[in-house]
Coordinates of all heavy atoms in Angstrom, one line a residue:
M18 N 104.2 126.9 127.5 CA 103.3 127.3 128.7 C 102.0 126.9 128.6 O 101.4 126.3 129.6 CB 103.3 128.8 128.8 CG 104.6 129.4 129.5 SD 105.3 130.9 128.7 CE 106.3 130.1 127.4
L19 N 101.3 126.9 127.4 CA 99.9 126.4 127.2 C 100.1 124.9 127.4 O 99.1 124.3 128.0 CB 99.4 126.8 125.9 CG 98.0 126.4 125.6 CD1 97.1 127.0 126.6 CD2 97.6 126.9 124.3
A20 N 101.1 124.3 126.8 CA 101.1 122.9 126.8 C 101.3 122.3 128.2 O 100.8 121.3 128.5 CB 102.4 122.5 126.0
S21 N 102.1 123.1 129.1 CA 102.2 122.6 130.5 C 101.0 122.8 131.2 O 100.7 122.0 132.1 CB 103.4 123.2 131.1 OG 103.1 124.7 131.2
L22 N 100.2 123.8 130.9 CA 98.9 124.0 131.5 C 97.9 122.7 131.2 O 97.2 122.2 132.0 CB 98.2 125.2 131.1 CG 98.7 126.5 131.8 CD1 98.0 127.8 131.2 CD2 98.3 126.5 133.3
L23 N 97.9 122.4 129.9 CA 97.0 121.3 129.4 C 97.5 119.9 130.0 O 96.6 119.2 130.1 CB 97.0 121.3 127.9 CG 96.3 122.5 127.2 CD1 96.5 122.4 125.7 CD2 94.8 122.5 127.5
R24 N 98.7 119.9 130.2 CA 99.2 118.5 130.5 C 98.4 117.8 131.7 O 98.2 116.7 131.7 CB 100.7 118.6 130.8 CG 101.4 117.2 130.6 CD 102.9 117.4 130.7 NE 103.4 118.1 129.6 CZ 104.6 118.8 129.9 NH1 105.3 118.8 131.0 NH2 105.0 119.5 128.8
G25 N 98.2 118.7 132.8 CA 97.5 118.1 133.8 C 96.1 117.7 133.7 O 95.7 116.7 134.1
N26 N 95.4 118.4 132.8 CA 94.0 118.0 132.5 C 93.7 116.9 131.4 O 92.7 116.2 131.6 CB 93.1 119.3 132.1 CG 93.6 120.5 132.7 OD1 94.2 120.4 133.9 ND2 93.4 121.7 132.1
Q27 N 94.6 116.8 130.5 CA 94.3 116.0 129.4 C 95.0 114.6 129.7 O 96.2 114.6 130.0 CB 94.7 116.5 128.1 CG 93.9 117.8 127.8 CD 93.6 118.0 126.3 OE1 94.5 117.5 125.5 NE2 92.7 118.4 126.0
E28 N 94.2 113.6 129.5 CA 94.7 112.2 129.7 C 95.6 111.8 128.4 O 95.1 111.9 127.3 CB 93.6 111.3 129.8 CG 94.0 109.9 130.1 CD 92.8 108.9 129.9 OE1 91.7 109.4 129.6 OE2 93.0 107.7 130.1
S29 N 96.9 111.6 128.7 CA 97.5 111.1 127.5 C 97.8 109.6 127.5 O 97.9 109.1 128.6 CB 99.0 111.9 127.5 OG 99.8 111.4 128.6
R30 N 97.6 109.0 126.5 CA 97.6 107.5 126.4 C 98.7 107.1 125.6 O 99.2 107.9 124.6 CB 96.3 107.1 125.9 CG 95.3 107.2 127.1 CD 93.9 106.8 126.8 NE 93.3 107.6 125.7 CZ 92.0 107.6 125.2 NH1 91.4 106.5 125.6 NH2 91.6 108.3 124.4
T31 N 99.1 105.8 125.7 CA 100.2 105.3 125.0 C 99.9 104.5 123.7 O 98.9 103.6 123.9 CB 101.1 104.4 125.9 OG1 101.4 105.2 127.0 CG2 102.3 104.0 125.3
C32 N 100.3 104.9 122.6 CA 100.1 104.2 121.4 C 100.7 102.7 121.6 O 101.7 102.6 122.0 CB 100.8 104.8 120.2 SG 100.6 103.8 118.7
E33 N 99.8 101.8 121.2 CA 100.2 100.3 121.5 C 101.2 99.8 120.5 O 101.8 98.7 120.6 CB 99.0 99.4 121.5 CG 98.2 99.3 120.2 CD 97.0 98.3 120.5 OE1 96.1 98.6 121.4 OE2 97.0 97.3 119.6
V34 N 101.4 100.6 119.3 CA 102.3 100.2 118.3 C 103.7 100.8 118.5 O 104.6 100.0 118.5 CB 101.8 100.5 117.0 CG1 102.8 100.3 115.8 CG2 100.6 99.8 116.6
C35 N 103.7 102.2 118.8 CA 105.1 102.7 118.8 C 105.5 103.1 120.2 O 106.6 103.5 120.4 CB 105.2 103.9 117.8 SG 104.1 105.3 118.2
G36 N 104.5 103.2 121.1 CA 104.8 103.5 122.4 C 104.7 105.0 122.7 O 105.1 105.4 123.8
N37 N 104.4 105.8 121.8 CA 104.3 107.2 121.9 C 103.1 107.7 122.8 O 102.1 107.1 122.6 CB 104.1 107.8 120.6 CG 104.1 109.4 120.7 OD1 104.8 110.0 121.4 ND2 103.3 110.0 119.8
R38 N 103.4 108.4 123.8 CA 102.3 109.0 124.6 C 101.9 110.3 123.9 O 102.6 111.2 123.7 CB 102.9 109.3 126.0 CG 103.0 108.1 126.9 CD 103.5 108.3 128.3 NE 102.4 108.9 129.1 CZ 101.3 108.3 129.6 NH1 101.3 106.9 129.3 NH2 100.4 108.9 130.3
Y39 N 100.6 110.3 123.8 CA 99.9 111.5 123.1 C 98.6 111.9 123.6 O 97.8 111.0 123.8 CB 100.0 111.1 121.6 CG 99.4 112.2 120.6 CD1 99.9 113.5 120.7 CD2 98.7 111.7 119.5 CE1 99.6 114.5 119.8 CE2 98.3 112.8 118.6 CZ 98.7 114.1 118.7 OH 98.3 115.0 117.8
D40 N 98.3 113.1 123.8 CA 97.1 113.4 124.4 C 95.9 113.3 123.5 O 94.7 113.4 123.8 CB 97.1 114.8 125.1 CG 97.3 115.9 124.2 OD1 97.5 115.7 123.0 OD2 97.5 117.1 124.6
K41 N 96.2 113.3 122.1 CA 95.1 113.0 121.1 C 95.1 111.7 120.6 O 94.6 111.3 119.5 CB 95.3 114.0 120.0 CG 95.0 115.5 120.5 CD 95.4 116.5 119.5 CE 95.2 118.0 120.0 NZ 96.2 118.1 121.2
A42 N 95.6 110.7 121.3 CA 95.6 109.3 121.0 C 94.1 109.0 120.8 O 93.2 109.5 121.6 CB 96.2 108.5 121.9
F43 N 93.8 108.0 120.0 CA 92.3 107.7 119.7 C 92.2 106.1 119.9 O 93.2 105.4 119.8 CB 91.9 108.1 118.3 CG 92.6 107.5 117.2 CD1 92.3 106.4 116.5 CD2 93.8 108.3 116.8 CE1 92.9 106.0 115.5 CE2 94.5 107.8 115.7 CZ 94.1 106.7 115.1
E44 N 90.8 105.8 120.1 CA 90.6 104.3 120.3 C 90.0 103.7 119.0 O 89.3 104.5 118.4 CB 89.7 104.2 121.5 CG 90.2 104.6 122.8 CD 89.2 104.4 123.9 OE1 88.0 103.9 123.6 OE2 89.4 104.7 125.0
V45 N 90.3 102.5 118.7 CA 89.7 101.8 117.7 C 89.2 100.6 118.3 O 89.9 99.8 118.9 CB 90.6 101.5 116.5 CG1 89.9 100.7 115.4 CG2 91.2 102.7 115.9
R46 N 87.9 100.4 118.1 CA 87.2 99.0 118.5 C 87.1 98.1 117.4 O 86.6 98.4 116.4 CB 85.8 99.3 119.3 CG 85.8 99.2 120.7 CD 84.5 99.3 121.3 NE 83.9 98.1 121.6 CZ 84.2 97.3 122.6 NH1 85.0 97.7 123.4 NH2 83.6 96.2 122.8
M47 N 87.7 96.9 117.6 CA 87.7 95.9 116.6 C 87.5 94.5 117.1 O 88.4 94.2 118.0 CB 88.9 96.0 115.7 CG 88.9 95.3 114.3 SD 90.5 95.7 113.5 CE 90.0 95.1 111.8
G48 N 86.6 93.8 116.7 CA 86.2 92.5 117.3 C 86.2 92.5 118.7 O 86.7 91.5 119.4
G49 N 85.6 93.4 119.3 CA 85.4 93.5 120.7 C 86.5 93.9 121.6 O 86.5 94.0 122.8
K50 N 87.7 94.1 121.0 CA 88.9 94.8 121.7 C 89.0 96.1 121.3 O 88.8 96.6 120.2 CB 90.0 93.9 121.2 CG 90.3 92.6 121.9 CD 91.8 92.1 121.6 CE 92.9 93.1 122.3 NZ 94.1 92.6 122.3
T51 N 89.6 97.0 122.3 CA 89.8 98.3 122.2 C 91.3 98.5 122.1 O 92.0 98.1 122.9 CB 89.3 99.1 123.4 OG1 87.8 98.9 123.4 CG2 89.5 100.6 123.1
H52 N 91.7 99.3 120.9 CA 93.0 99.5 120.7 C 93.3 101.0 120.8 O 92.4 101.8 120.5 CB 93.5 99.1 119.4 CG 93.2 97.5 119.1 ND1 94.2 96.6 119.3 CD2 92.1 96.9 118.7 CE1 93.6 95.4 118.9 NE2 92.4 95.6 118.6
I53 N 94.5 101.3 121.2 CA 94.8 102.9 121.2 C 96.0 103.2 120.4 O 97.0 102.4 120.4 CB 95.2 103.2 122.7 CG1 93.9 102.8 123.6 CG2 95.6 104.6 122.9 CD1 94.2 103.1 125.1
F54 N 95.8 104.1 119.5 CA 96.8 104.5 118.6 C 97.0 106.1 118.8 O 96.1 106.8 119.0 CB 96.5 104.2 117.3 CG 96.2 102.7 117.1 CD1 94.9 102.2 116.9 CD2 97.2 101.8 117.1 CE1 94.6 100.9 116.8 CE2 97.0 100.4 117.1 CZ 95.6 100.1 116.8
D55 N 98.3 106.5 118.3 CA 98.6 108.0 118.3 C 98.3 108.4 116.9 O 98.4 109.7 116.6 CB 99.9 108.3 118.7 CG 101.0 107.7 118.0 OD1 100.8 106.7 117.3 OD2 102.1 108.1 118.0
S56 N 98.3 107.6 115.8 CA 98.2 108.0 114.5 C 97.5 106.9 113.7 O 97.5 105.7 114.1 CB 99.6 108.2 114.0 OG 100.2 107.0 113.9
F57 N 97.0 107.4 112.5 CA 96.4 106.3 111.7 C 97.3 105.4 111.1 O 97.1 104.2 110.8 CB 95.5 107.0 110.5 CG 94.2 107.5 111.0 CD1 94.1 108.8 111.3 CD2 93.1 106.7 111.2 CE1 92.9 109.3 111.8 CE2 91.9 107.1 111.6 CZ 91.7 108.5 111.9
E58 N 98.6 105.9 111.0 CA 99.6 105.1 110.5 C 99.8 103.9 111.4 O 99.9 102.7 110.9 CB 101.0 105.8 110.4 CG 102.1 105.1 109.7 CD 103.4 106.0 109.5 OE1 103.3 107.1 110.0 OE2 104.3 105.4 109.1
C59 N 99.9 104.1 112.7 CA 100.0 103.0 113.6 C 98.7 102.0 113.8 O 98.9 100.8 113.8 CB 100.3 103.6 115.1 SG 102.0 104.2 115.2
A60 N 97.6 102.7 113.4 CA 96.5 101.9 113.4 C 96.4 101.0 112.3 O 96.0 99.7 112.5 CB 95.2 102.8 113.4
I61 N 96.9 101.5 111.2 CA 96.9 100.6 110.0 C 97.9 99.5 110.2 O 97.7 98.4 109.9 CB 97.3 101.6 108.8 CG1 96.1 102.4 108.4 CG2 97.8 100.7 107.5 CD1 96.4 103.5 107.4
Q62 N 99.1 99.9 110.7 CA 100.1 99.0 110.9 C 99.7 97.7 111.9 O 99.9 96.5 111.5 CB 101.3 99.5 111.6 CG 102.4 98.7 112.0 CD 103.2 98.1 110.8 OE1 103.2 98.8 109.8 NE2 103.8 96.9 111.0
A63 N 98.7 98.1 112.8 CA 98.3 97.1 113.8 C 97.0 96.3 113.3 O 97.0 95.1 113.5 CB 98.0 97.8 115.1
L64 N 96.1 97.0 112.5 CA 94.9 96.3 112.3 C 94.5 96.1 111.0 O 93.8 95.3 110.6 CB 93.8 97.3 112.8 CG 93.8 97.6 114.4 CD1 92.6 98.6 114.7 CD2 93.7 96.4 115.2
A65 N 95.1 96.8 109.9 CA 94.7 96.5 108.6 C 95.2 95.3 108.1 O 96.3 94.8 108.3 CB 95.4 97.7 107.7
P66 N 94.4 94.5 107.3 CA 94.7 93.3 106.8 C 95.9 93.4 105.7 O 96.0 94.5 105.1 CB 93.5 92.6 106.3 CG 92.5 93.8 106.1 CD 92.9 94.8 107.1
T67 N 96.5 92.3 105.4 CA 97.5 92.4 104.4 C 97.1 91.6 103.1 O 96.5 90.6 103.3 CB 98.8 91.7 105.0 OG1 99.1 92.3 106.3 CG2 100.0 91.9 104.0
C68 N 97.4 92.3 102.0 CA 96.9 91.6 100.8 C 97.7 90.3 100.6 O 99.0 90.3 100.8 CB 97.3 92.5 99.6 SG 97.0 91.8 98.0
A69 N 97.0 89.2 100.3 CA 97.6 87.9 100.1 C 98.5 87.8 98.9 O 99.3 86.9 98.8 CB 96.5 86.8 100.1
H70 N 98.3 88.6 98.0 CA 99.1 88.6 96.8 C 100.3 89.5 96.8 O 101.5 89.1 96.7 CB 98.2 88.9 95.6 CG 99.0 88.9 94.3 ND1 99.4 87.7 93.8 CD2 99.5 89.7 93.3 CE1 100.0 87.8 92.7 NE2 100.1 89.2 92.4
C71 N 100.1 90.7 97.0 CA 101.2 91.7 97.0 C 101.8 92.1 98.2 O 102.9 92.7 98.5 CB 100.9 93.0 96.1 SG 99.7 94.1 96.9
G72 N 101.1 91.9 99.4 CA 101.6 92.1 100.8 C 101.3 93.5 101.2 O 101.8 93.8 102.3
C73 N 100.7 94.4 100.4 CA 100.5 95.7 101.0 C 99.3 95.8 102.0 O 98.6 94.9 102.0 CB 100.3 96.7 99.9 SG 98.7 96.5 99.2
R74 N 99.3 96.8 102.8 CA 98.3 96.9 103.8 C 97.0 97.3 103.1 O 97.0 98.2 102.1 CB 98.7 97.9 104.7 CG 99.8 97.7 105.6 CD 99.2 96.7 106.7 NE 100.4 96.2 107.5 CZ 100.3 95.2 108.4 NH1 99.1 94.8 108.8 NH2 101.3 94.8 109.2
I75 N 95.8 96.7 103.5 CA 94.6 97.1 102.8 C 93.9 98.2 103.6 O 93.4 97.9 104.7 CB 93.7 95.8 102.7 CG1 94.4 94.7 102.0 CG2 92.4 96.1 102.0 CD1 93.9 93.3 102.1
I76 N 93.9 99.3 103.1 CA 93.3 100.4 103.8 C 92.0 101.0 103.1 O 91.4 101.9 103.6 CB 94.2 101.6 104.1 CG1 94.7 102.1 102.8 CG2 95.3 101.1 105.0 CD1 95.6 103.3 102.9
G77 N 91.7 100.2 102.0 CA 90.5 100.6 101.4 C 89.4 99.5 101.6 O 89.6 98.8 102.6
H78 N 88.5 99.2 100.9 CA 87.6 98.2 101.0 C 88.1 96.9 100.7 O 87.8 95.9 101.4 CB 86.3 98.4 99.9 CG 85.5 99.6 100.4 ND1 85.7 100.8 99.9 CD2 84.5 99.7 101.2 CE1 84.8 101.6 100.4 NE2 84.0 100.9 101.2
G79 N 89.1 96.7 99.8 CA 89.7 95.5 99.6 C 88.8 94.5 98.9 O 87.5 94.8 98.7
V80 N 89.2 93.3 98.8 CA 88.4 92.2 98.2 C 88.7 91.0 99.1 O 89.8 90.7 99.4 CB 88.9 91.9 96.8 CG1 88.1 90.6 96.2 CG2 88.6 92.9 95.9
E81 N 87.5 90.3 99.5 CA 87.7 89.2 100.4 C 87.2 88.0 99.7 O 86.2 88.1 98.9 CB 86.8 89.3 101.6 CG 87.0 88.1 102.5 CD 86.2 88.1 103.8 OE1 85.4 89.1 104.0 OE2 86.2 87.2 104.6
A82 N 88.0 86.9 99.5 CA 87.5 85.7 98.8 C 88.0 84.5 99.6 O 89.1 84.4 99.8 CB 88.2 85.6 97.3
G83 N 87.1 83.8 100.1 CA 87.3 82.5 100.8 C 88.0 82.8 102.1 O 89.0 82.1 102.4
G84 N 87.8 83.9 102.7 CA 88.5 84.3 103.9 C 89.8 84.8 103.8 O 90.5 85.1 104.8
V85 N 90.2 85.1 102.5 CA 91.6 85.8 102.3 C 91.4 87.1 101.8 O 90.4 87.3 101.0 CB 92.4 84.9 101.3 CG1 93.7 85.5 101.0 CG2 92.4 83.4 101.8
F86 N 92.2 88.1 102.2 CA 92.0 89.5 101.8 C 92.9 89.9 100.7 O 94.1 89.5 100.8 CB 92.1 90.3 103.0 CG 91.0 90.2 104.0 CD1 91.1 89.4 105.1 CD2 89.8 91.0 103.7 CE1 90.0 89.3 105.9 CE2 88.7 90.9 104.7 CZ 89.0 90.0 105.8
Y87 N 92.5 90.7 99.8 CA 93.3 91.2 98.8 C 93.0 92.7 98.7 O 91.9 93.0 98.9 CB 93.0 90.5 97.4 CG 93.2 89.1 97.4 CD1 92.0 88.2 97.5 CD2 94.3 88.5 97.1 CE1 92.1 86.9 97.6 CE2 94.5 87.1 97.1 CZ 93.4 86.4 97.3 OH 93.5 84.9 97.4
C88 N 94.1 93.4 98.2 CA 93.9 94.9 98.3 C 93.0 95.3 97.2 O 92.3 96.4 97.2 CB 95.3 95.6 98.1 SG 96.1 95.3 96.5
C89 N 92.9 94.6 96.0 CA 92.2 95.0 94.8 C 91.7 93.6 94.0 O 92.4 92.6 94.4 CB 92.9 95.9 94.0 SG 94.4 95.3 93.2
A90 N 90.8 93.9 93.1 CA 90.4 92.7 92.3 C 91.6 92.2 91.6 O 91.5 91.0 91.2 CB 89.3 93.2 91.4
H91 N 92.5 93.0 91.0 CA 93.5 92.6 90.3 C 94.3 91.6 91.0 O 94.7 90.5 90.5 CB 94.4 93.8 89.9 CG 95.8 93.4 89.2 ND1 95.9 92.9 88.0 CD2 97.0 93.3 89.9 CE1 97.2 92.6 87.8 NE2 97.8 92.8 88.9
C92 N 94.7 91.9 92.3 CA 95.5 90.9 93.1 C 94.8 89.6 93.3 O 95.4 88.5 93.2 CB 95.8 91.5 94.4 SG 97.2 92.7 94.3
A93 N 93.4 89.7 93.6 CA 92.7 88.5 93.7 C 92.7 87.6 92.6 O 92.8 86.4 92.6 CB 91.3 88.8 94.1
T94 N 92.6 88.2 91.4 CA 92.6 87.5 90.1 C 93.9 86.9 89.8 O 94.1 85.7 89.5 CB 92.2 88.5 88.9 OG1 91.0 89.2 89.3 CG2 92.1 87.9 87.6
E95 N 95.0 87.6 90.1 CA 96.3 87.1 89.9 C 96.6 85.9 90.9 O 97.4 85.1 90.5 CB 97.3 88.3 90.3 CG 97.5 89.3 89.3 CD 98.2 89.0 88.1 OE1 99.3 88.5 88.1 OE2 97.6 88.9 86.9
H96 N 95.9 85.9 91.9 CA 96.2 84.9 92.8 C 95.2 83.7 92.6 O 95.1 82.7 93.4 CB 95.8 85.5 94.4 CG 96.7 84.9 95.4 ND1 98.0 85.2 95.5 CD2 96.5 84.1 96.4 CE1 98.6 84.5 96.6 NE2 97.6 83.9 97.2
G97 N 94.5 83.7 91.5 CA 93.7 82.6 91.1 C 92.3 82.6 91.6 O 91.5 81.7 91.3
V98 N 91.8 83.8 92.1 CA 90.4 84.0 92.5 C 89.6 84.4 91.2 O 90.2 85.3 90.5 CB 90.2 85.0 93.6 CG1 88.8 85.2 93.9 CG2 91.1 84.6 94.9
Q99 N 88.6 83.8 90.9 CA 87.8 84.2 89.8 C 86.5 84.9 90.2 O 85.9 84.6 91.2 CB 87.6 82.9 88.9 CG 88.8 82.3 88.3 CD 88.7 81.3 87.5 OE1 87.6 80.7 87.4 NE2 89.7 80.9 86.7
G100 N 86.0 85.7 89.2 CA 84.8 86.4 89.3 C 84.7 87.4 90.4 O 83.7 87.7 91.0
V101 N 85.8 88.1 90.7 CA 85.9 89.2 91.7 C 85.9 90.6 91.0 O 86.5 90.7 89.9 CB 86.9 89.2 92.7 CG1 86.7 88.0 93.7 CG2 88.2 89.0 92.2
E102 N 85.2 91.5 91.5 CA 85.3 92.8 91.0 C 85.4 93.7 92.2 O 85.1 93.5 93.3 CB 84.0 93.3 90.3 CG 83.9 92.6 88.9 CD 82.5 92.9 88.3 OE1 81.8 93.8 88.9 OE2 82.2 92.4 87.3
D103 N 86.2 94.8 91.9 CA 86.3 95.8 93.1 C 84.8 96.4 93.5 O 84.1 96.6 92.7 CB 87.1 97.1 92.6 CG 88.5 96.8 92.7 OD1 89.0 96.2 93.6 OD2 89.3 97.2 91.8
R104 N 84.7 96.3 94.8 CA 83.5 96.9 95.3 C 83.5 98.3 95.4 O 84.5 99.0 95.5 CB 83.3 96.2 96.9 CG 82.7 95.0 96.8 CD 82.3 94.6 98.2 NE 83.5 94.2 99.0 CZ 83.5 93.9 100.1 NH1 82.5 94.1 100.9 NH2 84.6 93.5 100.9
G105 N 82.3 99.0 95.4 CA 82.3 100.3 95.6 C 82.6 101.2 94.4 O 82.6 102.4 94.4
V106 N 82.7 100.6 93.2 CA 82.8 101.3 92.0 C 81.5 101.5 91.4 O 80.8 100.4 91.2 CB 83.8 100.5 91.0 CG1 84.0 101.3 89.7 CG2 85.1 100.3 91.7
P107 N 81.2 102.7 91.1 CA 79.7 102.9 90.5 C 79.6 102.2 89.2 O 80.6 102.1 88.4 CB 79.6 104.4 90.3 CG 80.7 105.0 91.3 CD 81.8 103.9 91.4
E108 N 78.5 101.7 89.0 CA 78.3 101.0 87.6 C 78.6 101.8 86.4 O 79.1 101.3 85.4 CB 76.8 100.5 87.6 CG 76.7 99.2 88.4 CD 75.3 98.6 88.2 OE1 74.7 98.8 87.2 OE2 74.9 98.0 89.2
R109 N 78.3 103.0 86.5 CA 78.5 103.9 85.3 C 80.0 104.0 84.9 O 80.3 104.2 83.8 CB 77.8 105.3 85.4 CG 78.6 106.1 86.5 CD 77.8 107.6 86.6 NE 78.5 108.3 87.7 CZ 78.3 108.2 88.9 NH1 77.3 107.3 89.4 NH2 78.7 109.0 89.9
V110 N 80.8 103.8 86.0 CA 82.3 103.8 85.8 C 82.7 102.6 85.1 O 83.5 102.5 84.3 CB 83.0 104.2 87.1 CG1 84.6 104.2 86.8 CG2 82.6 105.5 87.5
Q111 N 82.1 101.5 85.7 CA 82.6 100.1 85.3 C 82.1 99.8 83.7 O 82.8 99.2 83.1 CB 81.8 99.0 86.1 CG 82.4 98.9 87.4 CD 81.8 97.7 88.3 OE1 80.6 97.4 88.1 NE2 82.6 97.2 89.1
S112 N 81.0 100.4 83.4 CA 80.6 100.1 82.0 C 81.2 101.0 81.0 O 80.9 100.8 79.8 CB 79.0 100.3 81.9 OG 78.6 101.7 82.3
R113 N 82.0 102.0 81.4 CA 82.8 102.9 80.4 C 84.0 102.2 80.0 O 85.0 102.1 80.5 CB 83.1 104.2 81.2 CG 83.9 105.1 80.4 CD 84.6 106.1 81.2 NE 85.6 105.3 82.2 CZ 86.4 106.0 82.9 NH1 86.3 107.2 83.2 NH2 87.3 105.3 83.7
S114 N 84.0 101.4 78.9 CA 85.1 100.8 78.3 C 85.0 100.7 76.9 O 84.0 100.4 76.4 CB 85.5 99.5 79.0 OG 84.4 98.5 78.7
Ligands
ZN226 ZN1 102.0 105.0 117.3
ZN227 ZN1 97.5 93.5 96.5

């Protein structure tokens, strides 16, 4: 009953990945284009870059080397990229070894 009351007032929009219509769909602006998703899972599916080494979706900071994205410094190194370190790791953690 509450749902049917709300249905008239709230704009439901269609996720561009799975086609689900959802009143809490959200927009993501990327590279000047606006995308609409019903979930972060769909947003990741559509927008997150893929690791050039292991193929997983990069949802953290990732590593970029020569225009190619990797999910982590390990993958970049395995792929032959040299001198990369994970970004965003505090120095006090890095120096602990
Ligand atoms: Zn979706
Ligand atoms: Zn990877």
Side-chain angles (χ1 to χ4, degrees):
M18 278 136 274
L19 185 59
S21 63
L22 280 175
L23 288 173
R24 200 175 295 150
N26 318 338
Q27 294 216 330
E28 186 191 1
S29 66
R30 287 178 294 181
T31 304
C32 173
E33 67 179 55
V34 174
C35 68
N37 183 34
R38 283 181 72 80
Y39 185 39
D40 61 7
K41 291 173 186 62
F43 57 93
E44 294 178 2
V45 176
R46 254 183 95 76
M47 195 177 190
K50 275 197 66 178
T51 303
H52 303 267
I53 297 172
F54 305 107
D55 65 336
S56 66
F57 282 100
E58 185 175 2
C59 288
I61 289 165
Q62 177 70 27
L64 299 180
T67 306
C68 176
H70 182 67
C71 71
C73 74
R74 292 286 175 180
I75 302 167
I76 57 173
H78 290 90
V80 174
E81 185 185 356
V85 180
F86 291 93
Y87 303 94
C88 67
C89 62
H91 168 79
C92 279
T94 306
E95 289 286 301
H96 218 68
V98 179
Q99 292 184 347
V101 291
E102 287 178 4
D103 275 320
R104 276 187 284 173
V106 180
E108 276 178 32
R109 65 180 182 279
V110 176
Q111 285 182 335
S112 61
R113 177 201 64 178
S114 63

